[in-house]
Amino acid sequence: MDSIIFDLDGTLWNSIGTVAIAWNEVIKKSNYVEREVTERAFEQTMGLPFQEIAQKLFPELDEQKQKQILAECCEVENTYLEKHGGNLYPQVEETLKELSKKYKLYIVSNCQAGYIEAFYNYHKLDAHFIDFENPGRTGLSKGENIKLIMKRNKLKSPVYVGDTQGDFQAAQYAGIPFVYASYGFGEVEAPDYTIGTFQELKELF
């Protein structure tokens, strides 16, 4: 193993509280969404592609309106996250520091452009990572973005760490082992490895 590629939401941090505030600020100003989005509703969309998130959160809107409100919310969300951050899981910074001494670290997340940068800017963790990717920049699926990171950085034997079935399927698509972060948002059947806390990665690798 030469590298570790991480999911972000449900793996490195939980940003739902901050994201909910940002989205509901946008919703209050809109004239076509009549209800706020709850944190529970956000939890049920973790790891999904943008279009599926819009369909789940705003099923009453047509596709054009879904795309419009999603774009507006994501733009404000990045600003909020850069100012207020999210909740890092316990021992994330310390564990990343240790892992980066042995392995090359990366992030691939199903998020908009600017989201990972907001994570970096608030929590000052960018020094531990070499590269990152997301569909907001590439328009690709998570599995395709994992393969892109592998190709771009000439990785020979990475693993992917995530918390949802979609993450597992993305790792399978990329042909690499999957580490299930069971403390996150999703459930995964038959992962290659399972961790109950982030710091267990130090024992696993």
Side-chain angles (χ1 to χ4, degrees):
M1 191 180 88
D2 61 354
S3 52
I4 307 173
I5 308 172
F6 293 94
D7 173 49
L8 182 47
D9 294 317
T11 301
L12 297 173
W13 75 347
N14 179 346
S15 66
I16 286 179
T18 304
V19 171
I21 293 172
W23 281 47
N24 286 321
E25 283 296 313
V26 174
I27 288 170
K28 287 176 185 177
K29 297 175 183 177
S30 75
N31 57 10
Y32 49 88
V33 179
E34 299 180 353
R35 55 181 172 73
E36 292 190 348
V37 179
T38 66
E39 292 187 19
R40 176 59 180 161
F42 275 113
E43 287 183 12
Q44 295 173 338
T45 68
M46 286 294 107
L48 296 178
F50 288 129
Q51 187 172 353
E52 291 184 39
I53 291 174
Q55 290 169 350
K56 281 186 173 291
L57 295 181
F58 309 110
E60 72 277 12
L61 302 181
D62 61 36
E63 185 175 347
Q64 182 179 353
K65 282 288 198 310
Q66 287 177 348
K67 290 181 178 179
Q68 181 179 339
I69 193 70
L70 193 64
E72 293 172 358
C73 287
C74 287
E75 182 177 354
V76 173
E77 172 185 310
N78 286 347
T79 302
Y80 265 68
L81 287 170
E82 193 160 0
K83 291 181 178 178
H84 305 288
N87 294 318
L88 291 179
Y89 288 109
Q91 299 294 310
V92 161
E93 184 170 5
E94 297 85 347
T95 302
L96 289 174
K97 184 177 181 180
E98 289 299 313
L99 291 174
S100 66
K101 295 176 182 178
K102 299 171 60 180
Y103 306 105
K104 297 176 181 178
L105 307 184
Y106 304 86
I107 295 177
V108 172
S109 175
N110 268 349
C111 61
Q112 70 273 17
Y115 186 87
I116 296 174
E117 293 93 325
F119 166 76
Y120 282 166
N121 290 337
Y122 185 83
H123 293 288
K124 310 301 181 186
L125 296 176
D126 51 302
H128 303 303
F129 297 95
I130 295 173
D131 197 2
F132 67 88
E133 204 49 270
N134 58 70
R137 296 203 309 184
T138 66
L140 301 175
S141 70
K142 179 171 281 188
E144 291 169 327
N145 279 324
I146 292 173
K147 292 185 75 171
L148 179 61
I149 283 285
M150 291 168 61
K151 181 178 179 180
R152 193 159 70 203
N153 294 278
K154 299 179 174 58
L155 306 182
K156 297 184 180 300
S157 55
V159 299
Y160 188 69
V161 184
D163 67 304
T164 68
Q165 186 68 22
D167 293 336
F168 178 44
Q169 292 168 347
Q172 287 187 312
Y173 176 88
I176 63 175
F178 178 71
V179 180
Y180 170 43
S182 62
Y183 54 84
F185 296 115
E187 296 183 1
V188 177
E189 294 184 6
D192 298 293
Y193 307 96
T194 299
I195 54 172
T197 62
F198 191 79
Q199 57 264 41
E200 285 179 28
L201 285 172
K202 293 187 293 185
E203 302 170 9
L204 185 61
F205 301 128

